[in-house]
């Protein structure tokens, strides 16, 4: 199969919509990361997404909408908080889990009786969903297990020959996948942190719980609230270690341990350790979210064997950065302050 790169002209978006309407899969831009989109109601089409990614069948897909009224065909029940949350955060990087309707095939929901719904804010995603006239099931457009793509080029790197087309809508703005929430009591539980932060959700919800799976390893046999969290994710080929502690302790650790083939993953150049190669991905949590996945891919291109990563903050969007880098590191955290 030849993978076509499409721009955002009306003609090209119509061509992309035509592929989706006839049961195909297209790489599409969203404000979080690029997605692999198919008609969420069409089980055969959705199976092609799983095949292209090599995604485990029990890992559910998020269903994307371009108008609130589309929810009624997707969810069998809409929890009372959805209205206020949608008003405040949609279109945007928030996925809400609701009981699924009969129209959503089990293959889309990974066998669950619930479905995650999101209204993306990327203008091209919105236009495409509108042109298709159906909600689009769309997981991140990477091969299963590798870092999510934040540009059309990175989708092409993973999906060339596997899907008929990719729409190039520029770099994804947020850079990490959406915040996933489930409804619980009078509030919500964060199953996956993202661009809509705990602090922002608290402006609308009486209570916000962060699921233990966000910061802790889930065994592959366990029943996870958010199935994606149990898989090794976002992992570059390099062995990543998160070095927790002050900048001084980080520098000391790297100076003592670095060998040929190692690379530092830093927030800014000023943190560099003499002679050890490095990549920087941003000073603020927002910049880090935007740049993390691209940085992980660049590390692989450079052939880094081991990566010493500085430890992100855990508040605001930093929680999403920390959650992703923890998985990229296979939960390997080193406390540099207590190193001999
Ligand atoms: P991706 O689209 O690749 O970012 O993955 C979507 C992720 O959202 C999944 O891996 C799950 O962790 C989460 N998710 C989607 N639908 C549900 C659902 N019905 N229940 C719980 N988690 C969900
Ligand atoms: Mg993904």
């Amino acid at each position: 199969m030849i993978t076509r790169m499409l721009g955002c002209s009306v003609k090209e978006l119509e061509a992309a919509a035509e592929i989706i309407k006839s049961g195909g899969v297209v790489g599409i831009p969203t404000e979080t990361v690029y997605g692999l989109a198919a008609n969420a109601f069409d089980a055969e089409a959705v199976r092609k997404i799983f095949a292209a990614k090599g995604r485990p069948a029990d890992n559910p897909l998020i269903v994307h909408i371009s108008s609130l009224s589309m929810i009624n065909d997707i969810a069998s029940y809409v929890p009372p908080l959805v209205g206020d949350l949608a008003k405040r955060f949609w279109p945007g990087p928030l996925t809400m889990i609701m009981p699924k309707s009969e129209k959503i095939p089990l293959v889309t929901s990974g066998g669950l009786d619930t479905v995650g719904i999101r209204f993306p804010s990327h203008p091209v995603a919105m236009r495409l969903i509108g042109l298709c006239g159906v909600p689009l099931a769309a997981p991140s457009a990477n091969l299963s297990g590798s870092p999510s793509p934040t540009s059309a080029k990175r989708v092409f790197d993973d999906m060339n020959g596997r899907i008929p087309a990719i729409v190039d809508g520029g770099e994804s703005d947020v850079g990490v996948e959406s915040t996933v929430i489930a409804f619980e009591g009078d509030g919500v539980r964060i199953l996956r942190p993202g661009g809509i932060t705990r602090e922002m959700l608290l402006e609308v919800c009486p209570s916000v719980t962060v699921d233990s799976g966000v910061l802790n390893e889930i065994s592959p046999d366990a029943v996870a609230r958010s199935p994606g969290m149990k898989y090794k994710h976002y992992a570059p080929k390099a062995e990543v270690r998160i070095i927790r502690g002050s900048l001084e302790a980080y520098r000391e650790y790297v100076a003592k341990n670095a060998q040929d083939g190692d690379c530092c993953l830093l927030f800014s150049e000023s943190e560099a350790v003499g002679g050890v190669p490095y990549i920087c991905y941003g000073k603020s949590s927002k910049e880090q979210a935007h740049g993390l996945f691209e940085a992980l891919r660049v590390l692989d291109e450079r052939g880094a064997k081991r990566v010493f990563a500085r430890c992100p903050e855990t508040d605001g969007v930093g929680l999403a950065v920390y959650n992703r880098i923890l998985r990229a590191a296979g939960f390997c955290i080193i406390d540099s302050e207590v190193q001999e």
Side-chain angles (χ1 to χ4, degrees), residues 53 55 140 142 148 177 233:
K53 281 180 65 82
R55 184 175 174 102
S140 52
N142 51 290
S148 300
E177 305 86 343
H233 244 73

Side-chain angles (χ1 to χ4, degrees), residues 33-34 53 55 59 138-149 177 192 228 233-234 293:
V33 299
Y34 272 68
K53 281 180 65 82
R55 184 175 174 102
N59 195 355
S140 52
N142 51 290
L143 286 172
S144 201
S146 69
S148 300
E177 305 86 343
R192 177 176 75 183
H233 244 73
Y234 321 116
F293 288 139

Side-chain angles (χ1 to χ4, degrees), residues 24 38 118 126 193 255 264 272 291 297 313 333:
R118 183 166 102 79
M126 279 199 235
C264 290
R297 284 178 179 253
E313 302 290 332
I333 305 172

